[in-house]
Amino acid sequence: MLSAIKNFGVTFLISLAIFGVIAYFATGFVTGTVTDILENEQDKLSEIIQNNDPIADETEDPSDDPDVVPEKEILGESFNFLIVTTDFRPDAFADYLPTEGDIKLGDPNYVYPTDYLGYLSSEYRKSNVTSIIVVRIDKEREQVIFSYVTPKIRVFTSAGYKTLSEVYGLYGIERLAEHINGLTGLKYDYTFLLNGYNMDELVSIVGSLGVSVAKDIYFDGKYNTFASHSIVEVTDKKGNTTTKSVANDKVLEAGYIAFSAENLYNAASVIEHSATELQTKQTLSIETARSFLTYLAGLDEDHLKTVLAQLLIDEESWDSIPEIIEEIKRPEPEETSDPSGSYLPFDTTPVETETLSPETEVPETEAPETEAPSEETEAPETDEPENEPKLFEPDTTVFESNFTIEEFYEIYDLLCSVLRYEHKIITYPVTYIAATEDSEEYFAHDINRATELFSTYRKVPETSK
């Protein structure tokens, strides 16, 4: 029994040794062969990818693919501009104290308020700046920056402390821009002034844009306000003075509105009298500006030229707009379309006229018989008083601006980018100061905080780039 087990163990060990040696050499042979095959296939695959694969070539150079549209280069530099509105309406109100400029623009037969109020009267209507909107189109950051600067911010001038509205009244738009430059640290390339009497022309050119109004707007007998009531003084027969609350007339109801000329004027000319009203006015003013700029950015090239020309050129010169547009076209030829459209107040397409051939006889027409006017004609009777002030509208462009239509291509690409750039609002930091016996209400600026907010967007001089 033991001998059989011993023989089995010896035979098993010998067989294990023999098959182990065979397996060792067989495994090495198979492994080496397979490794050589895989390495050769990998080399061939790499060579194919590098030299013969068209997909790899397209990936490396997408410009060779006709279906790939290269990104258009944006021409022009980042720029800043101001949009300033006023409530000046000599076509609706006759109680402004006339300036030398008004006298030159007015009718020589005009009866001025000084004729019946006197020069020292406090009853004159003031022409106020009603909104100041700072806009920056930033190419580097792909942003459009909006900021509302209340005209009731008080600044120091050579005439003492004045509000920004008073600065404009005393010194004009250029000095106003200088003060806003000091308040924000931004230098303004362009200014656009829109007077109240030109808002009807603006609406007729761009159409009725829409915007949301958060609060009802009222008229207190002098100016537009968010307040539904005014406190007035009343003197009785005995000379005693008391105050009472009087309801103001609602001129614009809160909600989404489409701008007519009157709606635009009422919304733009409302005056803020508190921090809360300032926030409401800021939202309304910026949304109006955004609506207007978005409309312009969505126009085709020739149509945009036409609209800007209408806004910047005197209406008497509108007939020359097609020639002006032709002169400022891009040098490369391109197919143009009719820029007028039915929505513009004039048509630039040539009028087709019928011409008569030589054989055609011109029909004879007799002039209608008219009676010669009698020498003794009476002037038509009118109910107007002889000294009634006359209303008039100054003959100015819709926007008074230092931007000219010849500069169109300096801003065109960036203006169109308003549609795709991020829109950002910077709230200008101010504190409301209530009226006292010695001064009217105003807003005090925090210039240090404002400088910090706008510092990112200051232009860097080209010499330091």
Side-chain angles (χ1 to χ4, degrees):
M1 182 69 180
L2 293 175
S3 175
I5 294 174
K6 180 179 178 181
N7 291 334
F8 173 78
V10 172
T11 303
F12 177 76
L13 291 174
I14 292 173
S15 299
L16 184 63
I18 292 172
F19 283 111
V21 172
I22 294 172
Y24 172 78
F25 286 105
T27 301
F29 174 78
V30 172
T31 302
T33 302
V34 172
T35 301
D36 291 341
I37 293 173
L38 292 177
E39 287 179 352
N40 291 336
E41 293 298 323
Q42 181 65 37
D43 292 341
K44 292 180 180 179
L45 180 61
S46 299
E47 184 178 356
I48 291 174
I49 292 175
Q50 293 178 2
N51 301 323
N52 301 321
D53 189 358
I55 298 178
D57 293 340
E58 291 178 10
T59 304
E60 293 175 2
D61 189 6
S63 62
D64 295 337
D65 188 350
D67 295 331
V68 176
V69 180
E71 185 175 350
K72 180 183 177 181
E73 180 184 0
I74 302 298
L75 302 179
E77 301 295 333
S78 301
F79 63 95
N80 311 313
F81 61 96
L82 294 177
I83 303 174
V84 180
T85 66
T86 77
D87 61 3
F88 186 43
R89 289 286 305 274
D91 59 325
F93 306 107
D95 52 352
Y96 292 103
L97 179 63
T99 64
E100 181 180 353
D102 298 331
I103 294 173
K104 290 180 179 179
L105 291 171
D107 188 319
N109 298 321
Y110 183 84
V111 179
Y112 291 100
T114 50
D115 297 331
Y116 59 95
L117 289 178
Y119 280 100
L120 301 180
S121 173
S122 61
E123 298 299 319
Y124 289 113
R125 179 184 299 275
K126 294 180 180 179
S127 175
N128 302 294
V129 170
T130 54
S131 61
I132 302 170
I133 304 166
V134 172
V135 184
R136 173 176 174 81
I137 302 182
D138 195 301
K139 177 180 179 180
E140 292 71 27
R141 298 170 183 82
E142 296 191 347
Q143 292 180 333
V144 184
I145 312 302
F146 296 90
S147 185
Y148 174 75
V149 179
T150 171
K152 298 181 76 172
I153 288 180
R154 199 169 72 166
V155 295
F156 185 75
T157 71
S158 58
Y161 282 101
K162 301 291 180 182
T163 65
L164 292 176
S165 179
E166 292 171 328
V167 168
Y168 168 74
L170 290 171
Y171 306 109
I173 190 69
E174 292 183 5
R175 183 66 62 84
L176 175 63
E178 291 175 4
H179 277 280
I180 301 176
N181 169 223
L183 291 172
T184 62
L186 298 180
K187 182 175 177 59
Y188 298 96
D189 302 282
Y190 309 110
T191 57
F192 296 88
L193 174 66
L194 176 64
N195 287 301
Y197 61 83
N198 275 327
M199 292 186 182
D200 55 344
E201 283 90 347
L202 175 63
V203 171
S204 71
I205 292 172
V206 305
S208 181
L209 305 177
V211 73
S212 292
V213 180
K215 289 185 177 182
D216 295 336
I217 297 177
Y218 301 86
F219 181 65
D220 65 5
K222 273 285 187 182
Y223 308 106
N224 284 353
T225 176
F226 288 115
S228 60
H229 289 74
S230 297
I231 304 300
V232 298
E233 292 185 349
V234 178
T235 304
D236 60 21
K237 295 180 180 180
K238 296 181 180 181
N240 298 320
T241 301
T242 58
T243 60
K244 70 174 184 178
S245 177
V246 177
N248 295 325
D249 296 328
K250 184 187 293 187
V251 294
L252 193 61
E253 190 168 354
Y256 185 84
I257 63 168
F259 279 138
S260 63
E262 200 63 26
N263 285 346
L264 178 59
Y265 175 79
N266 287 326
S269 61
V270 65
I271 297 176
E272 54 269 34
H273 295 287
S274 67
T276 303
E277 291 184 357
L278 172 61
Q279 184 63 40
T280 303
K281 178 65 180 296
Q282 170 182 285
T283 302
L284 177 58
S285 299
I286 290 178
E287 287 306 311
T288 302
R290 289 176 64 179
S291 176
F292 178 66
L293 289 177
T294 301
Y295 164 79
L296 293 180
L299 299 178
D300 64 70
E301 189 170 336
D302 282 343
H303 189 181
L304 179 58
K305 287 180 190 176
T306 303
V307 169
L308 288 180
Q310 289 177 283
L311 296 176
L312 298 170
I313 296 176
D314 189 274
E315 186 173 357
E316 294 182 355
S317 303
W318 279 9
D319 290 341
S320 65
I321 287 179
E323 289 77 15
I324 295 174
I325 291 175
E326 190 68 27
E327 292 178 359
I328 61 172
K329 277 187 177 179
R330 293 183 186 272
E332 59 270 18
E334 59 182 5
E335 186 176 354
T336 59
S337 58
D338 177 17
S340 58
S342 59
Y343 36 78
L344 294 181
F346 74 105
D347 191 358
T348 58
T349 55
V351 178
E352 296 184 2
T353 58
E354 296 182 0
T355 57
L356 299 175
S357 61
E359 294 80 15
T360 305
E361 295 183 0
V362 180
E364 297 181 1
T365 58
E366 296 181 0
E369 297 181 0
T370 57
E371 295 183 1
S374 173
E375 296 181 359
E376 298 180 358
T377 56
E378 297 182 358
E381 295 183 1
T382 60
D383 297 331
E384 297 181 1
E386 292 183 2
N387 292 327
E388 181 71 18
K390 294 183 180 180
L391 302 175
F392 73 98
E393 181 174 323
D395 184 17
T396 59
T397 56
V398 177
F399 278 100
E400 297 178 39
S401 178
N402 59 340
F403 174 80
T404 63
I405 191 63
E406 287 74 19
E407 300 172 277
F408 177 81
Y409 284 112
E410 295 182 19
I411 69 165
Y412 173 66
D413 285 354
L414 284 170
L415 180 57
C416 293
S417 299
V418 168
L419 294 175
R420 66 181 186 86
Y421 280 2
E422 174 192 4
H423 290 192
K424 181 177 179 180
I425 296 174
I426 296 179
T427 300
Y428 195 89
V430 292
T431 302
Y432 175 72
I433 307 299
T436 65
E437 293 182 358
D438 299 327
S439 68
E440 297 181 350
E441 64 181 3
Y442 66 94
F443 288 88
H445 58 74
D446 184 347
I447 195 168
N448 293 328
R449 176 61 179 152
T451 302
E452 180 182 346
L453 290 172
F454 286 94
S455 61
T456 304
Y457 303 99
R458 291 179 188 170
K459 282 189 173 180
V460 180
E462 293 184 0
T463 55
S464 62
K465 289 183 180 180

